[in-house]
Every structure is written in structure tokens, then in C-alpha cells.
Amino acid sequence: DAGVIQSPRHEVTEMGQEVTLRCKPISGHDYLFWYRQTMMRGLELLIYFNNNVPIDDSGMPEDRFSAKMPNASFSTLKIQPSEPRDSAVYFCASNELPGLAGLTDTQYFGPGTRLTVL
Amino acid sequence: AQSVAQPEDQVNVAEGNPLTVKCTYSVSGNPYLFWYVQYPNRGLQFLLKYITGDNLVKGSYGFEAEFNKSQTSFHLKKPSALVSDSALYFCAVKGNSGYSTLTFGKGTMLLVSP
């Protein structure tokens, strides 16, 4: 498997523009996670899905952020409108349904999208 | 609520010397514990995990970690550091009851000098 795939790898945009980040999880994985990484706040969980259904979006910072998972192989994270403080690296991760004693419960991360909002 | 503490922002070690990156945790019930490594401009890469069983867990690239329940610690170790081990290391924890998400520490930068 190619692992978790994210696109674009780098995105530079101007304040007020809409930004869409994309993620393809590992085939067969039931859980998908979106994280944000900044120097100040470290790694933050924004939202996660189970079987394409959003389970917990309490980490989404504002209504400007939205995420969807229309099918098992694709998810998007959208920021509209974007602001300079949204500049960060955004990671997508996926893992299998936990097996007995969580033996398969390991998250695999994509390479990330580095977002710069000017 | 579950939490992870990585008390050192940075660890410096000379190549060939042993290294330790510290991690303590707080969680309800028994923990699942993980270590991830992040190289520059890359995603987090899984190193090892403790689920149950032997307290000493061996992982990728010669790393190991020791689970200590009484001290609620899960320190990452390697007997002989390499310059190529220089990276950002994250400890993470989750509880084992029901489904819960991983909680990550803030990360520790490991710098191995030649």
C-alpha cells in the first residue's frame, strides 16, 4: 500500500481565500484523523471519522473549518475564509478498527500539507 | 482526561552514546502507549507501542521503550545513538476501555552530534 496520501504538499494562499486539503487513507482503514501541527500548540486533533461518519469535531477551531468524508477512500478539510493564523502543517492519519486488545490500533500518518496564509 | 508529558524540549547526545527520551502519562485504566518519530518535512512515523505483556518493547531502528506502571512512564531508549536519529520524537497515550483517540505529548527534539 502507498500509505496515507495527502495533497497538496504545499499550499500558499492569501487571507480570505478558500483552502481545500485532501487525504486518501490506507485502504481498509476504518478511522481517519485530521491533525494540525504548529510550533506554539504542537500536534492538535481537529476531527476524526469512523466509517466515513464524523465522530468528534470538538478540535475544529472555528466554523471556518469543515471536514467531509464522502467515501472510505477520500476526505477533505476546508478552510473558508482562511486567515494567517491558520498557517500550519496539516496531517491526515488513518488506522484499522481496533482488534483484540488493540493490537492493530496504530495510526499511520500522511506526509502533511504545509499551509501558508499570507 | 488523558495526558502525556515530555519534560525535555531537547535532548543532546554524542554519537555512540546511549540515549533516553522521557515520557510520563496519565490515563484512566490501563494505557496503550506509543512512540512516533518525525523527520524534517515528513509525517509522523510509528516506532513502537506497548499494549500488554513484556514491559520492555522493541521497535524500529534499534529503539526500545520501557513501560513502568508505578512511575507511569514510558521512556524511549537506544543503546548507541546515530547522527541519523536526530529528529522530533512524540510519545502518545490512549486508554484501553472503549474507543479513545491518541493524546500526543509536545515532542522532544533529539540532536545527536558526530
Side-chain angles (χ1 to χ4, degrees), chain A residues 9 31 33 35 37 40-43 45 48 91 95 98 101-112 114, chain B residues 32 34 36 38 40-46 49 51-52 88 90 94-95 98-106:
Chain A
R9 292 294 310 276
Y31 286 84
F33 306 81
Y35 291 89
Q37 185 180 35
M40 291 297 294
R41 300 172 71 91
L43 196 63
L45 176 64
Y48 79 96
F91 289 105
N95 72 251
L103 292 176
T104 59
D105 195 13
T106 299
Q107 284 186 27
Y108 295 90
F109 282 73
R114 182 174 295 277
Chain B
Y32 293 162
F34 300 78
Y36 285 81
Q38 184 180 25
N41 301 313
R42 303 285 293 275
L44 276 70
Q45 183 176 335
F46 170 72
K49 66 182 175 185
I51 301 296
T52 187
L88 186 59
F90 290 93
K94 63 183 295 184
Y99 187 82
S100 64
T101 56
L102 281 178
T103 296
F104 286 85
K106 292 190 173 183

Side-chain angles (χ1 to χ4, degrees), chain A residues 46-67:
Chain A
L46 300 178
I47 185 172
Y48 79 96
F49 295 82
N50 175 215
N51 291 326
N52 314 335
V53 176
I55 303 301
D56 185 353
D57 65 355
S58 60
M60 297 285 262
E62 300 171 33
D63 291 344
R64 299 185 294 107
F65 286 69
S66 62

Side-chain angles (χ1 to χ4, degrees), chain B residues 57-101:
Chain B
V57 178
K58 294 186 183 299
S60 307
Y61 312 121
F63 283 93
E64 58 189 29
E66 186 166 12
F67 169 61
N68 187 316
K69 189 172 184 178
S70 63
Q71 297 185 4
T72 62
S73 67
F74 189 56
H75 301 331
L76 182 70
K77 299 181 180 183
K78 187 174 182 181
S80 178
L82 299 173
V83 172
S84 57
D85 293 331
S86 298
L88 186 59
Y89 290 81
F90 290 93
C91 181
V93 69
K94 63 183 295 184
N96 71 342
S97 57
Y99 187 82
S100 64
T101 56

